[in-house]
Amino acid sequence: MFYPDNIEEKIDFTVIREELMRRCTSPLGREEVEAMRMETDYEVVSRLLMVTDQMRAAHADPALTFPRGEIHDIREAIARVRIEGLFLDEAELDALRHSLRYAAELEHFFASLDIQRYALIKELGNSDAGLEEIVRTIDSILDRYGQLADSASPELGRIRREITNLQGSVGRTLASILRQAKTDGFVDADAAPTIREGRLVIPVSPAFKRKVGGIVHDESATGKTVYIEPQQVVDANNRIRELEGAERRERIRILTEVTNTLRPRTEIILGSQKMLAKVDFLNAKASLAETLQAIRPEIINGPLLEWKDAYHPVLKLHYAPQGKTVVPLSIRLEAEKAHVLVISGPNAGGKSVCLKTVALLQYMIQCGLLVPVNEASRAGIFTQLMIDIGDEQSIQDELSTYSSHLRNMKYFLRNADDKTLLLVDEMGTGTEPLIGGAIAEAILRELVSRHVFGVITTHYTNLKHFAEETEGVVNGAMLYDRGAMKPLFQLSIGQAGSSFAIEIARQTGLGEPIIAYATELVGEEHIDYDRQLQDIARDKRYWERKRQQVRQREKDLEAKIAEYEARLAGAKAEKRDILEHARQEAAELLQQANATIERTIREIKEAKAEKEKTKAARAKVENLKAKVESQAPKPAKGKGKTPSAPAQSSKTPKVLRDLRDLRVLKGEIDEVPAAPVSTSTNIAHARKVKFERTLDIRGMRVDEATEALIAYMDDALMVGAGEVTILHGTGTGALKQLTRDYLNELNRARHKRGQIALDFGDGDVNHGGAGLTVVKL
């Protein structure tokens, strides 16, 4: 399927695999990355690419909120408790709870997805396993910190209450004894109770141990201190030890009982682990695709390379954060036309990078990874991928550089077919050039006759001629700026490239007599050929730039035309709106005028005015009507004409008046109350009311946790919270380390400002211990 065995190392796929490993959040996902292999079945590859693309789209969809949670590998623990009598401890149950809760959230999320857009990832959540019921069972016995809760059973609660009461009593008694001992001078002034062999004791100087009285449990390494359990608390401590034993027995009983209820569901639990592994792996692939700006190209069921603007993924990962540009590669190899590309050009001009780009991208595609290429790209499926890159000489195997190349060629000739992608760097090198070139041409001729797909790099002139004269083979050149004497790292397909050996030798300061003699040895014919190749490359680059400039100007012109057409359409639409508004306003005014006229006539009739006076009134009204109608826009006469909008509507003179004529009417304007002003005190009070004294960052990524931590501590300091708790869990310890590093940095900043440092440390052992950090402000 691929050759040699270390192909991943040679084409830098190991870097891609390590990058995926880094982006996984659990051992489950990393195992999936490790198991990833190059596939050769069209249906399998297509499905892998589609599911990865759908996961990338789901993460990028602004209408979706992809669930985030903790993934723990609990397979070993679940396998262990298949045996009756064994049980899961609190840490294992807590890990199981977090994993199943996240799995249940994913089930709901996948079920809610649109089947048209996300059909494949929707299948990940098709199980109805009752995961939430298992979570509720574990929640009934564990507190939020993963410890066995007092409410896990009535007996456990009773035992713990009695232990707490007795410990309080013992503590008070010891404190009283210690105060008296300090007064009597039997112990140091700064002495405090401590624990030895699980019992509360006080440190006493050996000279006064009989004065205090009690049981000696231990002494210091120097012998200057003995640890005594006073006689007054011996019985209480004994009772505490008995209760602690009872607590352990009750704990085991509870854990065993819960484990027994979970045992029949081990297959369901393991199934959720497989789903979480796939999701973690797919999340990593989607994240890498987002970083690389990678896509899913069209996949063809057969051998094909048709890539436009293809980037080397490793170079893009390395240089993009530095703001540097990676030059893309465009290449097309297909069975009916050119299926072998022979690349020539100067050393350090990018030939090997082109070769590795082709190999790496094809390998990634057949591993189900999205690739950084243009959307117009297409890719096929090869059943074999073979490479000869780098030096494989071996002293142990008595294998020279050239022998290792010939061994690879032998393998190619024995196994390559029309579904093979072959990549050879510096074909034929390592021996006498004339013979090496001839053997390379003979091998290449045989491979071409088998319709093998390939990309070959070379400096040999005979291979350039072979590519020029042979059907199915095409030359390619790595472009070089002869004026600036530097490579452009651009591949131009269609003509052979020059090695620029003479020019590079001259630039490095090699003596002119040496160069002249070398030119004479090679012959003017060869130098002219090389020079012609350079001229062709230069001219092609010039016309290519011209063509790109013309294309760009055409695009700019099309954009300008589209812009002006949009503006013209907008202006026409605006004109129509203005005219329509004017017509409506004039019609309303005309209707109002008609009503006024009719009302006036009716009033005249009702007043029974004289006939002549009535005629005079009617004449005045008719004049008013004519005047109003004259101000309204007239319908257009003739096809395609529209009436001009009036400079002012007929209603305007009635509405506008001189501002000096405006008066405020007393009693008709209500007094408007002033709006309340929001003050910083009100804001601070609101924050204090809403402030939570616990921040839970479990399950977050490092960048999310950092942002949440900074915002939370800012609020805590603003509201004067006094004491807060940051819940980070134990896990790998990364979130705990992040929390402690940030608090230390905060303390350094406070120290510079002359402020008191924050006091922080692990929580109480009975309430989370190392899984949380308590901060006193």
Side-chain angles (χ1 to χ4, degrees), residues 59-70:
H59 278 284
D61 193 336
L64 299 177
T65 302
F66 202 95
R68 297 187 181 278
E70 296 182 34

Side-chain angles (χ1 to χ4, degrees), residues 73-83 85-97 100 134 138 141-142 148 251-263 266 269:
D73 184 0
I74 44 84
R75 293 171 299 179
E76 184 178 342
I78 293 297
R80 189 187 74 246
V81 297
R82 288 179 185 270
I83 303 173
L86 298 181
F87 60 88
L88 297 171
D89 62 24
E90 292 93 329
E92 292 167 338
L93 284 172
D94 190 41
L96 175 60
R97 172 174 61 173
L100 293 182
I134 302 176
I138 300 174
I141 66 166
L142 294 186
L148 200 61
R251 166 184 171 271
I252 292 172
R253 186 194 69 78
I254 294 169
L255 295 177
T256 302
E257 183 178 288
V258 170
T259 302
N260 289 341
T261 64
L262 298 181
R263 189 171 288 111
T266 53
I269 294 171

